[in-house]
């Protein structure tokens, strides 16, 4: 949940939101390449299949070795929930199962906010005065950072624009105005 002490006041008026995948870290990229090989190499499908099976057998061996070394108390303590009072650091990379993401939301007050799904901490936010924020889009999924598109209209001039924002930093990469 969102910590009330640090939460955004405008979250009650969200008009649109999207989930954005975080980029994989270098260990995950190396693991994928070792398991699946070069994604552009389609020359030997049987070799790729055997490499995939070998990687799964190695993962199974690692699990069995870990369980053999683990005490019973350690295993049962894994299933008990203990509340923690320490704030976890924000990790800006994909977790193993893809649960860790960003939520990018726009509000009727002209604010765009990027929040981490692990605890709801705000990574960045921007305020666009006199602007009606209409819609969010994922423009490009990338290895290091995704681009988010923000479609909006200036209330005073009627000018429409589409901004491309870096999902991790909120930096405006490009702006395109149109009528």
């Amino acid at each position: 949940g969102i910590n009330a002490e640090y939460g955004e006041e405008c979250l009650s008026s969200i008009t649109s939101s999207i989930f954005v995948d975080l980029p994989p870290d270098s260990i995950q990229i190396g693991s994928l390449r070792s398991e699946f090989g070069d994604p552009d190499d389609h020359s030997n499908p049987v070799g790729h299949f055997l490499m995939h099976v070998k990687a799964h057998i190695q993962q199974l061996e690692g699990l069995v070795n870990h369980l053999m070394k683990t005490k019973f108390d350690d295993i049962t303590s894994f299933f008990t929930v203990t509340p923690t009072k320490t704030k976890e650091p924000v990790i800006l990379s994909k977790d193993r199962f893809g649960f860790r993401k960003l939520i990018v939301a726009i509000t009727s007050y002209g604010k765009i906010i990027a929040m981490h799904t692990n605890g709801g901490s705000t990574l960045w936010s921007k305020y666009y005065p006199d602007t009606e924020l209409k819609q969010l889009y994922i423009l490009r999924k990338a290895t290091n950072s995704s681009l988010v598109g923000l479609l909006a209209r200036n209330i005073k001039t009627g000018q429409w624009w589409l901004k491309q924002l870096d999902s991790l930093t909120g930096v405006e990469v490009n702006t395109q105005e149109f009528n």
Side-chain angles (χ1 to χ4, degrees), residues 9-24:
E9 299 83 26
C10 61
L11 290 179
S12 64
S13 59
I14 290 177
T15 57
S16 179
S17 64
I18 56 173
F19 284 93
V20 180
D21 289 330
L22 289 167

Side-chain angles (χ1 to χ4, degrees), residues 34-52:
S34 69
E35 184 175 343
F36 296 107
D38 183 7
D40 297 326
D41 181 20
H42 303 289
S43 60
N44 187 359
V46 175
H48 285 284
F49 174 75
L50 293 175
M51 188 171 22
H52 185 70

Side-chain angles (χ1 to χ4, degrees), residues 9 13 23 28 52 55 59 61 63 65-66 76 80 84 88 108-109 126 133-134 151 154 159-160 163 167 172 179:
E9 299 83 26
S13 59
Q28 291 168 334
H52 185 70
Q59 289 174 350
E61 287 174 353
L63 175 65
N65 288 336
H66 176 73
T76 57
T80 58
T84 59
E88 293 183 29
S108 60
Y109 298 117
K126 291 182 176 281
L133 306 181
K134 288 292 200 178
L151 179 66
N154 185 305
Q159 181 72 43
W160 286 83
K163 289 192 183 289
S167 63
E172 294 178 8
N179 292 328

Side-chain angles (χ1 to χ4, degrees), residues 2-3 6-15 103 105-107 109 111-115 120 122:
I2 296 173
N3 187 338
Y6 301 107
E8 294 278 347
E9 299 83 26
C10 61
L11 290 179
S12 64
S13 59
I14 290 177
T15 57
I103 300 172
I106 56 176
T107 70
Y109 298 117
K111 194 164 191 180
I112 181 171
I113 306 158
M115 298 172 292
T122 302

Side-chain angles (χ1 to χ4, degrees), residues 101-170:
K101 296 182 184 286
L102 293 180
I103 300 172
V104 180
I106 56 176
T107 70
S108 60
Y109 298 117
K111 194 164 191 180
I112 181 171
I113 306 158
M115 298 172 292
H116 200 283
T117 57
N118 188 16
S121 59
T122 302
L123 292 177
W124 56 266
S125 66
K126 291 182 176 281
Y127 174 64
Y128 295 100
D130 300 321
T131 305
E132 183 180 12
L133 306 181
K134 288 292 200 178
Q135 190 64 43
L136 288 168
Y137 304 95
I138 297 177
L139 298 177
R140 182 185 72 191
K141 292 183 180 180
T143 305
N144 50 359
S145 183
S146 296
L147 286 181
V148 173
L150 172 61
L151 179 66
R153 183 179 67 87
N154 185 305
I155 296 170
K156 290 182 177 178
T157 64
Q159 181 72 43
W160 286 83
W161 47 260
L162 176 68
K163 289 192 183 289
Q164 295 178 2
L165 305 169
D166 182 286
S167 63
L168 296 179
T169 62

